[in-house]
Amino acid sequence: EAQVTQNPRYLITVTGKKLTVTCSQNMNHEYMSWYRQDPGLGLRQIYYSMNVEVTDKGDVPEGYKVSRKEKRNFPLILESPSPNQTSLYFCASGSPITDTQYFGPGTRLTVL
Amino acid sequence: QQPVQSPQAVILREGEDAVINCSSSKALYSVHWYRQKHGEAPVFLMILLKGGEQKGHEKISASFNEKKQQSSLYLTASQLSYSGTYFCGTEIDLNAGNMLTFGGGTRLMVKP
């Protein structure tokens, strides 16, 4: 089954404790992206990647890092999370952006 | 800059029609439309590329007016399953990379 998976689905952490949210797709898509969704602000793109070792900033990249060492994986790293990064995070993949984008189920992150 | 969606919310009776608009202050290369149901990930509906095309998907269609820098999503003879929040995502220029900027969303409720 074609899918985008994210882990964990829910996470509560404390300020400053490094964390990684994993994203994996099994569709051999070149394009992957991370979004955060906040009430009243809609979906905002954090980072995207056009292919392995190719990443670029989206609208709100501050405080986040990504890596694309393999085509299927695109982890989101928060080196020192802060409460303003409490949000619902979605990973998406597509091939290329002019084709359908598939979203993962989302990761709800709370930073205390 | 985030595209502006209107209306912010709309309530329909089953069988009624609705139009959701998406306007950008910048020239657009493409417009994407998604629907998100409560607690779920966004689901891709369609993409429209520069060229003023109109696309259809069952009873949901969309148009893209390049000159006016806007797109409209048309929902015809609405069904209960159409309820959800609709987002447009805009890509301003192919040469600007593949950064996708989403509007704030339009909440649609279809009542029996």
Short mmCIF file of all heavy atoms in Angstrom, two decimals, chain A residues 9 31 35 37 40-45 48 50 56-59 88 90 97-106, chain B residues 1-2 29-30 32 34 36 39-44 47 49 87 91 94 96-105:
data_model
loop_
_atom_site.label_atom_id
_atom_site.label_comp_id
_atom_site.label_asym_id
_atom_site.label_seq_id
_atom_site.Cartn_x
_atom_site.Cartn_y
_atom_site.Cartn_z
N ARG A 9 3.54 9.60 16.42
CA ARG A 9 2.30 10.30 16.09
C ARG A 9 2.00 11.37 17.12
O ARG A 9 1.39 12.40 16.81
CB ARG A 9 1.15 9.31 16.02
CG ARG A 9 1.25 8.29 14.90
CD ARG A 9 1.02 8.94 13.53
NE ARG A 9 -0.14 9.81 13.53
CZ ARG A 9 -1.38 9.39 13.42
NH1 ARG A 9 -1.63 8.10 13.30
NH2 ARG A 9 -2.39 10.25 13.44
N TYR A 31 10.26 14.09 -4.40
CA TYR A 31 9.96 15.28 -3.62
C TYR A 31 9.38 14.93 -2.25
O TYR A 31 8.48 14.10 -2.13
CB TYR A 31 8.94 16.14 -4.39
CG TYR A 31 8.49 17.37 -3.67
CD1 TYR A 31 9.22 18.55 -3.75
CD2 TYR A 31 7.33 17.36 -2.90
CE1 TYR A 31 8.82 19.69 -3.08
CE2 TYR A 31 6.92 18.50 -2.22
CZ TYR A 31 7.67 19.65 -2.31
OH TYR A 31 7.27 20.78 -1.65
N TYR A 35 5.55 20.28 6.80
CA TYR A 35 4.66 21.39 7.09
C TYR A 35 4.32 21.38 8.57
O TYR A 35 4.31 20.33 9.21
CB TYR A 35 3.35 21.29 6.32
CG TYR A 35 3.50 21.29 4.82
CD1 TYR A 35 3.68 20.11 4.11
CD2 TYR A 35 3.43 22.48 4.10
CE1 TYR A 35 3.81 20.11 2.73
CE2 TYR A 35 3.56 22.50 2.71
CZ TYR A 35 3.76 21.30 2.05
OH TYR A 35 3.88 21.31 0.69
N GLN A 37 1.08 22.86 11.04
CA GLN A 37 -0.27 23.39 10.96
C GLN A 37 -0.68 23.93 12.32
O GLN A 37 -0.66 23.20 13.31
CB GLN A 37 -1.27 22.31 10.50
CG GLN A 37 -2.66 22.86 10.25
CD GLN A 37 -3.56 21.83 9.62
OE1 GLN A 37 -3.47 20.63 9.89
NE2 GLN A 37 -4.46 22.28 8.76
N GLY A 40 -5.70 28.87 12.67
CA GLY A 40 -5.73 30.22 12.12
C GLY A 40 -4.61 30.54 11.16
O GLY A 40 -4.65 31.56 10.47
N LEU A 41 -3.60 29.68 11.09
CA LEU A 41 -2.45 29.95 10.22
C LEU A 41 -2.36 28.96 9.06
O LEU A 41 -1.51 29.10 8.19
CB LEU A 41 -1.16 29.91 11.03
CG LEU A 41 -1.01 30.99 12.09
CD1 LEU A 41 0.26 30.78 12.89
CD2 LEU A 41 -1.01 32.38 11.45
N GLY A 42 -3.19 27.96 9.07
CA GLY A 42 -3.17 26.99 7.98
C GLY A 42 -1.90 26.16 7.99
O GLY A 42 -1.27 25.94 9.02
N LEU A 43 -1.51 25.71 6.82
CA LEU A 43 -0.31 24.89 6.65
C LEU A 43 0.85 25.77 6.21
O LEU A 43 0.74 26.52 5.25
CB LEU A 43 -0.55 23.83 5.57
CG LEU A 43 -1.45 22.67 5.94
CD1 LEU A 43 -2.10 22.08 4.70
CD2 LEU A 43 -0.65 21.60 6.67
N ARG A 44 1.96 25.65 6.89
CA ARG A 44 3.14 26.42 6.51
C ARG A 44 4.30 25.46 6.27
O ARG A 44 4.57 24.59 7.09
CB ARG A 44 3.49 27.43 7.60
CG ARG A 44 2.46 28.55 7.74
CD ARG A 44 2.86 29.52 8.82
NE ARG A 44 2.82 28.92 10.14
CZ ARG A 44 3.32 29.49 11.24
NH1 ARG A 44 3.92 30.66 11.15
NH2 ARG A 44 3.24 28.88 12.40
N GLN A 45 4.96 25.67 5.14
CA GLN A 45 6.04 24.78 4.75
C GLN A 45 7.31 25.09 5.54
O GLN A 45 7.73 26.25 5.63
CB GLN A 45 6.29 24.90 3.25
CG GLN A 45 7.16 23.79 2.69
CD GLN A 45 7.26 23.88 1.17
OE1 GLN A 45 7.45 24.95 0.63
NE2 GLN A 45 7.13 22.74 0.50
N TYR A 48 11.74 21.57 2.30
CA TYR A 48 11.39 20.60 1.28
C TYR A 48 12.67 20.06 0.66
O TYR A 48 13.74 20.64 0.80
CB TYR A 48 10.46 21.19 0.23
CG TYR A 48 11.02 22.34 -0.56
CD1 TYR A 48 11.68 22.13 -1.77
CD2 TYR A 48 10.86 23.66 -0.11
CE1 TYR A 48 12.18 23.20 -2.49
CE2 TYR A 48 11.37 24.72 -0.83
CZ TYR A 48 12.01 24.49 -2.03
OH TYR A 48 12.52 25.54 -2.75
N MET A 50 14.05 18.15 -3.03
CA MET A 50 13.74 17.71 -4.40
C MET A 50 14.33 16.34 -4.72
O MET A 50 13.89 15.68 -5.65
CB MET A 50 14.27 18.73 -5.41
CG MET A 50 13.53 20.05 -5.38
SD MET A 50 11.75 19.79 -5.57
CE MET A 50 11.69 19.04 -7.18
N ASP A 56 15.86 22.46 0.83
CA ASP A 56 15.74 23.91 0.76
C ASP A 56 14.71 24.39 1.77
O ASP A 56 13.83 23.63 2.19
CB ASP A 56 15.33 24.36 -0.64
CG ASP A 56 15.94 25.71 -1.00
OD1 ASP A 56 16.34 26.46 -0.08
OD2 ASP A 56 16.02 26.02 -2.20
N LYS A 57 14.86 25.66 2.16
CA LYS A 57 13.98 26.22 3.18
C LYS A 57 12.62 26.57 2.60
O LYS A 57 12.49 27.00 1.47
CB LYS A 57 14.62 27.50 3.75
CG LYS A 57 15.91 27.27 4.47
CD LYS A 57 16.51 28.59 4.95
CE LYS A 57 17.83 28.36 5.65
NZ LYS A 57 18.44 29.64 6.09
N GLY A 58 11.61 26.39 3.44
CA GLY A 58 10.27 26.81 3.10
C GLY A 58 9.97 28.14 3.76
O GLY A 58 10.86 28.98 3.94
N ASP A 59 8.74 28.31 4.19
CA ASP A 59 8.31 29.57 4.80
C ASP A 59 8.84 29.79 6.21
O ASP A 59 9.16 30.91 6.60
CB ASP A 59 6.78 29.60 4.89
CG ASP A 59 6.17 30.20 3.65
OD1 ASP A 59 6.79 31.13 3.09
OD2 ASP A 59 5.07 29.77 3.27
N LEU A 88 1.05 20.80 14.99
CA LEU A 88 0.77 19.56 14.27
C LEU A 88 1.65 19.56 13.02
O LEU A 88 1.59 20.48 12.22
CB LEU A 88 -0.71 19.49 13.90
CG LEU A 88 -1.18 18.28 13.09
CD1 LEU A 88 -0.91 16.98 13.84
CD2 LEU A 88 -2.67 18.41 12.79
N PHE A 90 3.10 17.78 9.50
CA PHE A 90 2.81 16.84 8.43
C PHE A 90 4.01 16.71 7.50
O PHE A 90 4.63 17.71 7.13
CB PHE A 90 1.62 17.31 7.59
CG PHE A 90 0.30 17.18 8.25
CD1 PHE A 90 -0.33 18.28 8.79
CD2 PHE A 90 -0.33 15.94 8.34
CE1 PHE A 90 -1.58 18.16 9.41
CE2 PHE A 90 -1.56 15.80 8.94
CZ PHE A 90 -2.18 16.92 9.49
N ILE A 97 6.54 18.07 -7.88
CA ILE A 97 5.52 18.89 -7.22
C ILE A 97 4.32 19.11 -8.12
O ILE A 97 3.23 19.43 -7.67
CB ILE A 97 6.08 20.22 -6.71
CG1 ILE A 97 5.11 20.83 -5.68
CG2 ILE A 97 6.31 21.21 -7.86
CD1 ILE A 97 5.66 21.99 -4.93
N THR A 98 4.47 18.91 -9.38
CA THR A 98 3.32 19.08 -10.27
C THR A 98 2.44 17.84 -10.30
O THR A 98 1.47 17.78 -11.03
CB THR A 98 3.78 19.40 -11.70
OG1 THR A 98 4.73 18.40 -12.10
CG2 THR A 98 4.42 20.77 -11.76
N ASP A 99 2.78 16.85 -9.51
CA ASP A 99 1.96 15.65 -9.39
C ASP A 99 1.29 15.65 -8.02
O ASP A 99 1.47 16.56 -7.25
CB ASP A 99 2.86 14.42 -9.55
CG ASP A 99 2.10 13.18 -9.94
OD1 ASP A 99 0.87 13.20 -9.86
OD2 ASP A 99 2.75 12.19 -10.30
N THR A 100 0.53 14.63 -7.75
CA THR A 100 -0.17 14.53 -6.46
C THR A 100 0.82 14.51 -5.31
O THR A 100 1.86 13.87 -5.38
CB THR A 100 -0.99 13.23 -6.43
OG1 THR A 100 -1.87 13.23 -7.53
CG2 THR A 100 -1.76 13.12 -5.14
N GLN A 101 0.48 15.21 -4.24
CA GLN A 101 1.26 15.13 -3.02
C GLN A 101 0.48 14.30 -2.02
O GLN A 101 -0.71 14.50 -1.82
CB GLN A 101 1.50 16.52 -2.42
CG GLN A 101 2.71 17.23 -2.95
CD GLN A 101 3.18 18.31 -2.01
OE1 GLN A 101 3.92 18.05 -1.09
NE2 GLN A 101 2.74 19.53 -2.25
N TYR A 102 1.16 13.38 -1.38
CA TYR A 102 0.55 12.53 -0.36
C TYR A 102 1.05 12.97 1.00
O TYR A 102 2.26 13.10 1.21
CB TYR A 102 0.92 11.06 -0.59
CG TYR A 102 0.41 10.49 -1.88
CD1 TYR A 102 1.17 10.58 -3.04
CD2 TYR A 102 -0.83 9.85 -1.94
CE1 TYR A 102 0.70 10.05 -4.24
CE2 TYR A 102 -1.29 9.32 -3.13
CZ TYR A 102 -0.53 9.43 -4.27
OH TYR A 102 -1.00 8.91 -5.45
N PHE A 103 0.10 13.17 1.91
CA PHE A 103 0.47 13.59 3.26
C PHE A 103 0.51 12.40 4.20
O PHE A 103 -0.28 11.46 4.08
CB PHE A 103 -0.55 14.60 3.78
CG PHE A 103 -0.29 16.01 3.31
CD1 PHE A 103 -0.64 16.40 2.03
CD2 PHE A 103 0.28 16.94 4.16
CE1 PHE A 103 -0.40 17.70 1.59
CE2 PHE A 103 0.51 18.24 3.74
CZ PHE A 103 0.17 18.62 2.45
N GLY A 104 1.43 12.48 5.15
CA GLY A 104 1.45 11.50 6.23
C GLY A 104 0.33 11.80 7.22
O GLY A 104 -0.36 12.80 7.10
N PRO A 105 0.16 10.95 8.24
CA PRO A 105 -0.95 11.09 9.18
C PRO A 105 -0.79 12.23 10.17
O PRO A 105 -1.75 12.59 10.86
CB PRO A 105 -0.96 9.74 9.91
CG PRO A 105 0.46 9.29 9.83
CD PRO A 105 0.97 9.76 8.51
N GLY A 106 0.39 12.80 10.27
CA GLY A 106 0.60 13.92 11.17
C GLY A 106 1.25 13.50 12.49
O GLY A 106 1.08 12.36 12.95
N GLN B 1 4.36 35.18 0.31
CA GLN B 1 3.20 35.70 1.04
C GLN B 1 2.02 34.74 0.89
O GLN B 1 1.78 34.20 -0.18
CB GLN B 1 2.83 37.08 0.53
CG GLN B 1 1.85 37.79 1.42
CD GLN B 1 1.87 39.29 1.22
OE1 GLN B 1 2.66 39.81 0.44
NE2 GLN B 1 1.00 39.99 1.91
N GLN B 2 1.30 34.58 1.97
CA GLN B 2 0.21 33.60 2.01
C GLN B 2 -0.94 34.03 1.10
O GLN B 2 -1.39 35.17 1.15
CB GLN B 2 -0.28 33.50 3.45
CG GLN B 2 -1.17 32.33 3.74
CD GLN B 2 -1.55 32.24 5.22
OE1 GLN B 2 -1.68 33.24 5.90
NE2 GLN B 2 -1.70 31.03 5.72
N TYR B 29 2.65 30.17 -10.64
CA TYR B 29 3.00 29.11 -11.58
C TYR B 29 1.98 27.97 -11.49
O TYR B 29 1.61 27.38 -12.49
CB TYR B 29 4.40 28.58 -11.29
CG TYR B 29 4.76 27.35 -12.10
CD1 TYR B 29 5.07 27.47 -13.44
CD2 TYR B 29 4.75 26.08 -11.52
CE1 TYR B 29 5.37 26.36 -14.19
CE2 TYR B 29 5.05 24.96 -12.27
CZ TYR B 29 5.36 25.11 -13.60
OH TYR B 29 5.64 24.00 -14.35
N SER B 30 1.55 27.68 -10.28
CA SER B 30 0.56 26.62 -10.11
C SER B 30 -0.27 26.84 -8.85
O SER B 30 0.14 27.56 -7.94
CB SER B 30 1.25 25.25 -10.02
OG SER B 30 1.95 25.12 -8.81
N HIS B 32 -2.62 24.45 -6.10
CA HIS B 32 -3.00 23.12 -5.65
C HIS B 32 -4.20 23.25 -4.73
O HIS B 32 -4.28 24.19 -3.94
CB HIS B 32 -1.88 22.46 -4.85
CG HIS B 32 -0.56 22.39 -5.55
ND1 HIS B 32 0.21 21.25 -5.55
CD2 HIS B 32 0.15 23.31 -6.25
CE1 HIS B 32 1.31 21.47 -6.23
NE2 HIS B 32 1.31 22.71 -6.67
N TYR B 34 -6.53 21.16 -1.76
CA TYR B 34 -6.57 20.04 -0.83
C TYR B 34 -7.82 20.14 0.03
O TYR B 34 -8.33 21.24 0.26
CB TYR B 34 -5.35 20.05 0.10
CG TYR B 34 -4.05 19.72 -0.56
CD1 TYR B 34 -3.33 20.67 -1.26
CD2 TYR B 34 -3.52 18.42 -0.47
CE1 TYR B 34 -2.15 20.35 -1.86
CE2 TYR B 34 -2.33 18.11 -1.08
CZ TYR B 34 -1.64 19.08 -1.76
OH TYR B 34 -0.46 18.76 -2.37
N GLN B 36 -9.14 18.77 3.87
CA GLN B 36 -8.73 18.13 5.12
C GLN B 36 -9.94 17.94 6.01
O GLN B 36 -10.62 18.91 6.35
CB GLN B 36 -7.68 18.99 5.83
CG GLN B 36 -7.13 18.35 7.10
CD GLN B 36 -6.07 19.22 7.76
OE1 GLN B 36 -6.10 20.44 7.66
NE2 GLN B 36 -5.13 18.59 8.45
N GLY B 39 -9.08 16.08 12.09
CA GLY B 39 -8.26 15.02 12.66
C GLY B 39 -7.53 14.17 11.64
O GLY B 39 -6.88 13.18 12.01
N GLU B 40 -7.62 14.56 10.38
CA GLU B 40 -6.96 13.77 9.34
C GLU B 40 -5.95 14.61 8.57
O GLU B 40 -5.88 15.83 8.72
CB GLU B 40 -8.01 13.20 8.38
CG GLU B 40 -9.01 12.27 9.04
CD GLU B 40 -10.03 11.73 8.05
OE1 GLU B 40 -9.87 11.94 6.83
OE2 GLU B 40 -11.00 11.10 8.50
N ALA B 41 -5.17 13.95 7.73
CA ALA B 41 -4.20 14.66 6.89
C ALA B 41 -4.90 15.27 5.68
O ALA B 41 -5.95 14.79 5.25
CB ALA B 41 -3.12 13.69 6.42
N PRO B 42 -4.34 16.33 5.13
CA PRO B 42 -4.90 16.89 3.89
C PRO B 42 -4.83 15.87 2.76
O PRO B 42 -3.89 15.08 2.67
CB PRO B 42 -3.98 18.09 3.60
CG PRO B 42 -3.34 18.40 4.90
CD PRO B 42 -3.21 17.10 5.62
N VAL B 43 -5.84 15.91 1.91
CA VAL B 43 -5.90 15.01 0.75
C VAL B 43 -5.92 15.84 -0.52
O VAL B 43 -6.71 16.77 -0.65
CB VAL B 43 -7.15 14.11 0.83
CG1 VAL B 43 -7.30 13.29 -0.46
CG2 VAL B 43 -7.08 13.19 2.03
N PHE B 44 -5.03 15.49 -1.43
CA PHE B 44 -4.91 16.23 -2.69
C PHE B 44 -6.18 16.09 -3.52
O PHE B 44 -6.72 15.01 -3.69
CB PHE B 44 -3.71 15.65 -3.45
CG PHE B 44 -3.47 16.24 -4.80
CD1 PHE B 44 -2.75 17.41 -4.95
CD2 PHE B 44 -3.96 15.60 -5.94
CE1 PHE B 44 -2.52 17.94 -6.19
CE2 PHE B 44 -3.72 16.12 -7.19
CZ PHE B 44 -3.00 17.30 -7.32
N ILE B 47 -4.40 19.90 -9.15
CA ILE B 47 -3.41 20.94 -9.37
C ILE B 47 -3.71 21.61 -10.70
O ILE B 47 -4.12 20.96 -11.66
CB ILE B 47 -1.97 20.37 -9.36
CG1 ILE B 47 -0.95 21.47 -9.60
CG2 ILE B 47 -1.82 19.27 -10.40
CD1 ILE B 47 0.49 21.01 -9.43
N LEU B 49 -2.01 24.33 -13.50
CA LEU B 49 -0.76 24.98 -13.89
C LEU B 49 -1.04 26.26 -14.66
O LEU B 49 -2.13 26.45 -15.22
CB LEU B 49 0.07 24.04 -14.76
CG LEU B 49 0.47 22.71 -14.11
CD1 LEU B 49 1.25 21.85 -15.09
CD2 LEU B 49 1.28 22.95 -12.85
N PHE B 87 -8.00 23.85 1.42
CA PHE B 87 -6.82 24.72 1.34
C PHE B 87 -6.37 24.85 -0.10
O PHE B 87 -6.35 23.86 -0.85
CB PHE B 87 -5.66 24.12 2.13
CG PHE B 87 -5.85 24.09 3.61
CD1 PHE B 87 -6.29 22.94 4.25
CD2 PHE B 87 -5.58 25.21 4.38
CE1 PHE B 87 -6.46 22.91 5.63
CE2 PHE B 87 -5.75 25.19 5.75
CZ PHE B 87 -6.20 24.03 6.37
N GLU B 91 2.27 28.06 -5.84
CA GLU B 91 3.69 28.03 -6.19
C GLU B 91 3.90 29.22 -7.11
O GLU B 91 3.24 29.31 -8.15
CB GLU B 91 4.00 26.72 -6.90
CG GLU B 91 5.47 26.51 -7.20
CD GLU B 91 5.70 25.27 -8.04
OE1 GLU B 91 4.73 24.65 -8.48
OE2 GLU B 91 6.86 24.93 -8.25
N LEU B 94 8.40 28.53 -10.99
CA LEU B 94 9.16 27.29 -11.07
C LEU B 94 10.62 27.52 -10.73
O LEU B 94 11.27 26.70 -10.10
CB LEU B 94 9.03 26.70 -12.48
CG LEU B 94 9.73 25.36 -12.70
CD1 LEU B 94 9.08 24.29 -11.83
CD2 LEU B 94 9.65 24.96 -14.16
N ALA B 96 11.76 29.53 -8.63
CA ALA B 96 11.94 29.85 -7.21
C ALA B 96 11.99 28.58 -6.38
O ALA B 96 11.86 28.62 -5.18
CB ALA B 96 10.80 30.74 -6.74
N GLY B 97 12.17 27.49 -7.06
CA GLY B 97 12.15 26.23 -6.32
C GLY B 97 10.74 25.73 -6.20
O GLY B 97 9.84 26.22 -6.87
N ASN B 98 10.50 24.82 -5.31
CA ASN B 98 9.18 24.24 -5.22
C ASN B 98 8.53 24.57 -3.89
O ASN B 98 7.93 23.72 -3.25
CB ASN B 98 9.27 22.73 -5.43
CG ASN B 98 9.70 22.43 -6.83
OD1 ASN B 98 10.87 22.17 -7.07
ND2 ASN B 98 8.80 22.50 -7.76
N MET B 99 8.66 25.79 -3.48
CA MET B 99 8.07 26.20 -2.22
C MET B 99 6.57 26.40 -2.41
O MET B 99 6.15 27.14 -3.29
CB MET B 99 8.70 27.49 -1.73
CG MET B 99 8.45 27.74 -0.26
SD MET B 99 9.34 29.16 0.35
CE MET B 99 8.21 30.44 -0.10
N LEU B 100 5.82 25.73 -1.60
CA LEU B 100 4.37 25.78 -1.68
C LEU B 100 3.85 26.55 -0.49
O LEU B 100 4.16 26.23 0.65
CB LEU B 100 3.81 24.36 -1.69
CG LEU B 100 2.40 24.13 -2.20
CD1 LEU B 100 2.28 24.56 -3.63
CD2 LEU B 100 2.04 22.66 -2.05
N THR B 101 3.03 27.58 -0.75
CA THR B 101 2.47 28.40 0.31
C THR B 101 0.98 28.20 0.35
O THR B 101 0.30 28.38 -0.67
CB THR B 101 2.80 29.89 0.07
OG1 THR B 101 4.22 30.04 -0.05
CG2 THR B 101 2.32 30.74 1.23
N PHE B 102 0.46 27.85 1.50
CA PHE B 102 -0.96 27.56 1.64
C PHE B 102 -1.75 28.75 2.16
O PHE B 102 -1.25 29.55 2.95
CB PHE B 102 -1.17 26.38 2.59
CG PHE B 102 -0.89 25.04 1.98
CD1 PHE B 102 0.38 24.49 2.05
CD2 PHE B 102 -1.88 24.34 1.32
CE1 PHE B 102 0.66 23.25 1.48
CE2 PHE B 102 -1.62 23.11 0.75
CZ PHE B 102 -0.34 22.57 0.83
N GLY B 103 -3.00 28.84 1.73
CA GLY B 103 -3.92 29.80 2.28
C GLY B 103 -4.40 29.36 3.66
O GLY B 103 -4.08 28.25 4.11
N GLY B 104 -5.16 30.21 4.31
CA GLY B 104 -5.60 29.93 5.66
C GLY B 104 -6.72 28.90 5.77
O GLY B 104 -7.05 28.45 6.87
N GLY B 105 -7.29 28.53 4.63
CA GLY B 105 -8.31 27.49 4.64
C GLY B 105 -9.73 28.05 4.62
O GLY B 105 -10.00 29.16 5.09
#
